[in-house]
Amino acid sequence: MSRITTVGAAALFAAATAAATLGLSTTALPAFAAEPAAWTVPDVDSLPNDVYGDFVRRGRTLFTETYAHIGPEVADPEKRFAGNNLACGSCHLEAGTQKFGIPMIGVYADFPQYRGRENTVGTIEGRINGCMQRSMNGKSLPHTSPEMRAMVAYIAFMSRGIPVGAKVEGRQTPVFNPPERAADPAAGAAVYAEHCAACHGDDGLGVRRGEPGDAKGYEYPPLWGPDTYNHGAGMHRVLTAAAFIQANMPLGTTHEAPLLTDDEAYDVAAYINSHQRPIREGVEKDYPDLSKKPVDSPYAPYYDDFPAEQHKYGPFQPLMKAQKEKAAAAKAATTN
């Protein structure tokens, strides 16, 4: 988390859960594949210079340089789909190829996919637009736009060879088991100062490559303030952010050798998400079936009677227990 960088594919991309990261924890996939799929990263640069290859490479560029092509500072107003100057690669590390860094490996094989946030089956285009509206704090890309087609082509190529329903190790972020206490933003401030501020700034507003208005984005993106993900994004959930942070940050950290302890990742995620950020209108309509709502969603309504503060910072174990018990009781009532 010390450096959520947005440089090109060879140098970098999160989250996110989207969810786990960027809200993906409510995904339900069919169990068609008997064996886990091997982790492989297809070589985009090996593609020929034809229409398909050009679309896939353009999709990769849109991941790593979103701000330069569909960001709020691009010259053509009709191309300003993103509402902030982040890149998709701010959460999907190394252009979506980093293990446990919310990668795109295998994602295409997950769709069509049930999504608890909408309580329906959604498409890959709809999932991309969920990120556009929340993590990018912008608006939807038209499904037939060249930008959407390029992003879908890239995601599909990065999933080449992955069977439908296959489990892929490193596909999202690891499960994070939170301490049995509330997260402490004050303790997180000390973690942030030691491990994160050098890149993201003491003020959390990141480090630009150029000047505001030049559509060059950030070397190290902001973690709060007006130019980052909004409060409806999956990364605004403490458990989602903590899992991503521990597995990937500071830059160079791996899931196998995390730098931050569970307590440190938990507290610094709370500290980051305690700050002001853009507000997304209409989030109260998320999760029509509240039993599918993650317990760390930081906005009402909820499936239980616990206070909003506990849903934001924990402790989460009582919320998980209550959600499980209430859902079991509801299921039993319908079968009796």
Side-chain angles (χ1 to χ4, degrees):
M1 174 217 50
S2 170
R3 306 177 188 177
I4 306 178
T5 178
T6 55
V7 296
L12 141 261
F13 187 1
T17 93
T21 19
L22 301 182
L24 294 178
S25 64
T26 55
T27 300
L29 299 177
F32 296 150
E35 298 293 331
W39 177 268
T40 57
V41 178
D43 183 6
V44 174
D45 294 321
S46 68
L47 289 170
N49 293 318
D50 56 14
V51 173
Y52 177 72
D54 290 346
F55 258 83
V56 172
R57 282 185 288 271
R58 185 178 183 186
R60 180 178 64 182
T61 298
L62 283 165
F63 256 76
T64 60
E65 302 173 13
T66 319
Y67 47 82
H69 300 277
I70 55 173
E73 297 176 351
V74 298
D76 185 352
E78 294 187 359
K79 294 294 184 179
R80 296 173 185 168
F81 292 100
N84 59 38
N85 287 285
L86 302 184
C88 298
S90 298
C91 295
H92 304 282
L93 302 179
E94 297 288 349
T97 68
Q98 181 165 308
K99 209 170 186 180
F100 296 107
I102 323 180
M104 294 295 102
I105 310 301
V107 168
Y108 193 76
D110 290 353
F111 288 86
Q113 176 195 81
Y114 171 75
R115 300 277 302 156
R117 191 155 62 194
E118 295 82 24
N119 197 33
T120 191
V121 172
T123 63
I124 186 67
E125 291 86 356
R127 184 67 188 95
I128 290 170
N129 277 333
C131 285
M132 288 297 301
Q133 295 165 356
R134 297 169 187 267
S135 298
M136 304 304 293
N137 193 39
K139 59 185 179 181
S140 294
L141 285 166
H143 285 201
T144 58
S145 67
E147 293 81 10
M148 177 64 84
R149 292 185 185 190
M151 294 182 83
V152 170
Y154 177 65
I155 294 170
F157 182 75
M158 299 312 293
S159 301
R160 180 169 287 189
I162 305 295
V164 172
K167 294 182 179 179
V168 183
E169 183 188 13
R171 160 72 178 77
Q172 295 177 353
T173 54
V175 173
F176 181 77
N177 296 311
E180 294 190 16
R181 60 173 177 82
D184 184 351
V191 179
Y192 182 88
E194 181 177 356
H195 297 288
C196 317
C199 292
H200 297 288
D202 292 335
D203 58 6
L205 300 183
V207 177
R208 275 191 173 259
R209 290 198 179 88
E211 300 296 328
D214 63 11
K216 292 183 179 179
Y218 291 89
E219 184 67 25
Y220 304 113
L223 302 181
W224 61 80
D227 204 27
T228 191
Y229 58 89
N230 64 44
H231 90 303
M235 205 61 85
H236 194 227
R237 292 166 42 200
V238 164
L239 298 183
T240 293
F244 176 82
I245 289 166
Q246 188 176 49
N248 297 287
M249 296 296 155
L251 188 66
T253 296
T254 65
H255 165 61
E256 292 78 13
L259 176 66
L260 301 183
T261 66
D262 289 352
D263 287 277
E264 290 172 327
Y266 190 46
D267 290 336
V268 79
Y271 174 69
I272 290 168
N273 282 326
S274 70
H275 289 82
Q276 294 296 313
R277 63 186 61 258
I279 298 299
R280 173 171 169 78
E281 299 296 329
V283 293
E284 69 280 356
K285 297 178 182 177
D286 290 351
Y287 301 97
D289 180 351
L290 290 176
S291 69
K292 303 296 192 297
K293 192 169 188 175
V295 296
D296 61 333
S297 292
Y299 51 86
Y302 299 113
Y303 191 53
D304 53 53
D305 297 323
F306 288 90
E309 184 80 359
Q310 187 167 350
H311 279 279
K312 185 168 184 177
Y313 296 124
F316 294 105
Q317 288 81 4
L319 305 182
M320 297 173 184
K321 181 180 179 182
Q323 185 181 63
K324 184 177 180 179
E325 290 176 348
K326 187 172 181 179
K331 182 177 180 180
T334 60
T335 56
N336 291 334

